[in-house]
Amino acid sequence: MKRLGVAALLILTAFGSQAFASEFTDKYESALEANDMILQQQLLEENKAKLPDEIGALVKDGLSPDTPKELRQGKFFLAETLARAHKDFTGDVEPLKNVKKKSFDAQLSAPVRPTAVSGVYTIEMPKATDSVKNVFAPDNIVIKKGETVKWVNTDAIAHVFSAMPVISAGSFSSKSVPAGGSFEYKFEKPGEYFYLCFIHHAMVGKVTVEE
Ligand SMILES: [Cu+2]
């Protein structure tokens, strides 16, 4: 990484225009690009203790609106690589889970609290248009424990979705929901549920269940 004057760094930080990779992540990325496994391992060993902080910084960059969209997935990819190394070193799986959750969050709209009708929330899988297809609408909702979500397929094709294991608070699986069909699930356990369609992997959603 080029050395920047303190003044320049302060200005850039103040405007939040560009997140700065650490010297370590810069070096590690170069080693990845060069496919230099020995250097990668050496860098990881030398920086073992600060991996959680490095992972945290990368996740922050990945979620930041100041990070150009095309660079965000790269940040999460690198964070995941480091989180796997951290898990191998220490057995601590939490940073890896956090990276997976946050990388999922980065694909979603801002969370909304829709209105339930008789304790049931409706999420539509709307008919594809020229610009939008294979989506859950809304894709990110917050509900209360004991409430039910009903996914209604008004699209012309089937969708099949399930909660992601490991990072979700519980599991549900829709099986195949044909055009015109629906699927209901009652959320008894608080927490975050990340789910995706097995046919369309970019078709993602989240239900956050509050106590
Ligand atoms: Cu689908």
Side-chain angles (χ1 to χ4, degrees):
M1 182 172 144
K2 287 186 201 106
R3 268 192 99 83
L4 289 158
V6 171
L9 192 61
L10 283 175
I11 290 165
L12 286 163
T13 308
F15 284 96
S17 57
Q18 180 64 63
F20 287 94
S22 73
E23 199 182 337
F24 161 69
T25 53
D26 268 2
K27 281 187 187 165
Y28 189 78
E29 259 188 308
S30 304
L32 269 180
E33 278 160 26
N35 209 12
D36 186 340
M37 311 274 269
I38 293 167
L39 181 55
Q40 285 167 40
Q41 199 53 38
Q42 185 192 331
L43 286 165
L44 290 171
E45 290 278 356
E46 285 170 7
N47 293 277
K48 252 184 210 178
K50 59 179 192 182
L51 287 183
D53 286 346
E54 298 286 348
I55 295 161
L58 285 163
V59 165
K60 209 172 154 201
D61 282 354
L63 287 172
S64 170
D66 297 330
T67 304
K69 217 173 178 177
E70 65 277 12
L71 297 183
R72 284 182 212 159
Q73 277 314 110
K75 299 283 180 193
F76 285 116
F77 173 78
L78 192 55
E80 187 169 334
T81 308
L82 299 184
R84 284 186 191 286
H86 175 75
K87 184 189 153 200
D88 290 344
F89 284 137
T90 65
D92 173 18
V93 74
E94 288 310 314
L96 182 57
K97 278 192 197 175
N98 188 46
V99 170
K100 286 179 177 281
K101 288 180 183 182
K102 292 302 190 309
S103 126
F104 206 106
D105 280 340
Q107 300 176 65
L108 300 167
S109 315
V112 292
R113 292 170 184 272
T115 310
V117 178
S118 311
V120 178
Y121 295 89
T122 299
I123 294 176
E124 198 182 350
M125 294 172 266
K127 195 162 165 42
T129 66
D130 288 341
S131 52
V132 182
K133 62 173 182 177
N134 306 326
V135 293
F136 294 106
D139 67 356
N140 192 0
I141 69 170
V142 182
I143 68 168
K144 293 256 183 274
K145 188 173 93 173
E147 291 176 327
T148 297
V149 175
K150 183 179 185 181
W151 286 264
V152 178
N153 189 358
T154 54
D155 200 356
I157 58 169
H159 296 288
V160 189
F161 51 95
S162 286
M164 303 285 291
V166 185
I167 59 169
S168 294
S171 60
F172 62 82
S173 180
S174 76
K175 306 287 187 307
S176 183
V177 183
S182 67
F183 167 73
E184 274 186 35
Y185 185 77
K186 188 175 183 185
F187 289 87
E188 303 282 13
K189 193 178 161 206
E192 296 175 301
Y193 295 75
F194 302 85
Y195 62 95
L196 65 76
C197 174
F198 290 122
I199 308 171
H200 314 100
H201 290 176
M203 185 175 178
V204 292
K206 179 181 178 184
V207 176
T208 303
V209 181
E210 293 180 339
E211 196 58 66

